């Protein structure tokens, strides 16, 4: 019951138009089932094989989101069913998704992950490189991938001013890219358990909440 209550609390605190992705990585299917029974239908995972196994074990009206770093050779595990890939961080990955989606006869929705955090370690596009890539027109050649918006992971810090600046930067990038990417480019994925209310203040349309729903993860997530 606790999972159901946490989901309800979070939902109640979010504006209606903000999508809640329940991040279930490392948690067992029973926990996901509990969230499902509470009405949650969108789940996020960060490892392709784990995502595939959970997809096979759980009801097929679940919308599965891939939120973690994705290697090109692993796209094939999720291409047949994934609803949204949050982590497109290179032209190579965009091309690989496009190719695998084509094999499945699908158009896969995806977000451009942009590097906004202070740390070097965080993945995502350098914004200037992304801008060059989008302006080159190469993305619009990829007919089996549909770019729906942007995503970021904020700096890992207690300093709210830094996190706010990261979120505001992503929202500004989204606004700058939007005229080039069309009306379906309407998702800003930002905000996790510790910072999603701030992300919503800064314009997030999709929050990715894990530990605040499912509790702490038992093992360290490989990024
Ligand atoms: C794990 C993860 C989350 C959820 O993190 P919590 O702090 O547990 O809410 C969100 N986004 C990404 C990309 C993640 O890898």
């Amino acid at each position: 019951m606790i999972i159901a209550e946490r989901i309800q609390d979070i939902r109640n605190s979010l504006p209606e138009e903000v999508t809640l992705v329940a991040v279930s990585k490392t948690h067992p299917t029973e926990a996901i089932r509990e969230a499902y029974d509470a009405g949650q239908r969108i789940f996020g995972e960060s490892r392709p094989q784990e995502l595939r196994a959970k997809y096979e074990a759980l009801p097929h009206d679940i919308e599965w989101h891939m939120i973690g770093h994705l290697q090109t050779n692993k796209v094939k595990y999720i291409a047949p069913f994934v609803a949204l890939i949050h982590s497109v961080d290179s032209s190579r990955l965009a091309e690989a998704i496009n190719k695998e989606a084509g094999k499945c006869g699908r158009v896969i929705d995806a977000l451009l992950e942009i590097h906004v955090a202070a740390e070097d370690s965080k993945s995502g596009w350098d914004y200037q490189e992304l801008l060059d890539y989008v302006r080159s027109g190469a993305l619009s050649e990829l007919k089996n991938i549909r770019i729906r918006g942007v995503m970021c992971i904020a700096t890992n810090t207690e300093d709210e001013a830094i996190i706010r600046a990261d979120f505001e930067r992503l929202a500004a990038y989204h606004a700058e890219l939007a005229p080039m990417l069309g009306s379906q480019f309407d998702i800003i994925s930002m905000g996790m358990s510790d910072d999603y209310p701030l992300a919503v203040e800064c314009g997030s349309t999709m929050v990715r909440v894990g530990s605040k729903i499912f509790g702490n993860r038992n093992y360290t997530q490989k990024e």
Side-chain angles (χ1 to χ4, degrees):
M1 263 326 279
I2 182 112
I3 289 176
E5 283 165 22
R6 286 170 175 164
I7 286 178
Q8 201 49 55
D9 285 350
I10 294 167
R11 270 256 59 94
N12 290 343
S13 75
L14 290 173
E16 215 176 314
E17 66 279 7
V18 173
T19 303
L20 172 62
V21 180
V23 176
S24 51
K25 63 188 185 195
T26 79
H27 294 287
T29 52
E30 299 78 64
I32 300 174
R33 174 62 85 160
E34 201 176 326
Y36 179 89
D37 290 340
Q40 181 66 27
R41 290 293 181 273
I42 304 176
F43 293 90
E45 289 280 336
S46 58
R47 292 177 181 180
Q49 284 103 322
E50 184 177 345
L51 178 48
R52 177 65 179 244
K54 287 172 172 172
Y55 162 75
E56 283 168 3
L58 286 156
H60 281 184
D61 61 339
I62 289 177
E63 229 184 75
W64 290 103
H65 289 197
M66 175 66 198
I67 62 169
H69 179 69
L70 182 57
Q71 289 170 266
T72 52
N73 61 345
K74 302 221 167 128
V75 175
K76 60 177 182 285
Y77 294 114
I78 60 172
F81 65 89
V82 70
L84 181 66
I85 297 174
H86 289 232
S87 45
V88 175
D89 59 359
S90 70
S91 55
R92 267 187 71 230
L93 180 56
E95 285 157 18
I97 294 167
N98 184 63
K99 186 166 154 217
E100 292 298 328
K103 285 188 200 164
C104 305
R106 298 188 68 209
V107 176
I108 294 181
D109 281 353
L111 306 178
L112 300 166
E113 179 174 357
I114 305 179
H115 179 103
V116 296
E119 302 100 285
D120 286 340
S121 59
K122 291 277 163 65
S123 49
W125 286 91
D126 168 82
Y127 183 63
Q128 283 310 319
E129 283 174 24
L130 174 60
L131 209 49
D132 290 344
Y133 179 56
V134 171
R135 284 179 175 147
S136 78
L139 258 181
S140 50
E141 305 287 301
L142 306 178
K143 299 300 180 200
N144 293 85
I145 183 170
R146 190 162 71 129
I147 300 298
R148 295 293 315 275
V150 293
M151 178 272 215
C152 78
I153 301 172
T155 307
N156 186 9
T157 172
E158 305 275 293
D159 188 338
E160 200 179 295
I162 294 177
I163 300 171
R164 180 184 289 277
D166 288 347
F167 288 154
E168 286 175 347
R169 205 169 305 129
L170 188 70
Y173 292 158
H174 174 265
E176 190 171 38
L177 291 168
M180 292 178 265
L181 289 165
S183 60
Q184 82 291 342
F185 188 74
D186 59 359
I187 298 175
I188 301 178
S189 168
M190 60 184 186
M192 310 182 5
S193 288
D194 291 336
D195 55 24
Y196 72 86
L198 183 58
V200 169
E201 265 181 50
C202 298
S204 172
T205 70
M206 186 174 275
V207 295
R208 311 178 305 267
V209 180
S211 43
K212 198 148 186 211
I213 294 172
F214 294 106
N216 289 330
R217 288 178 286 275
N218 301 335
Y219 59 94
T220 321
Q221 189 67 12
K222 211 177 82 201
E223 294 298 342

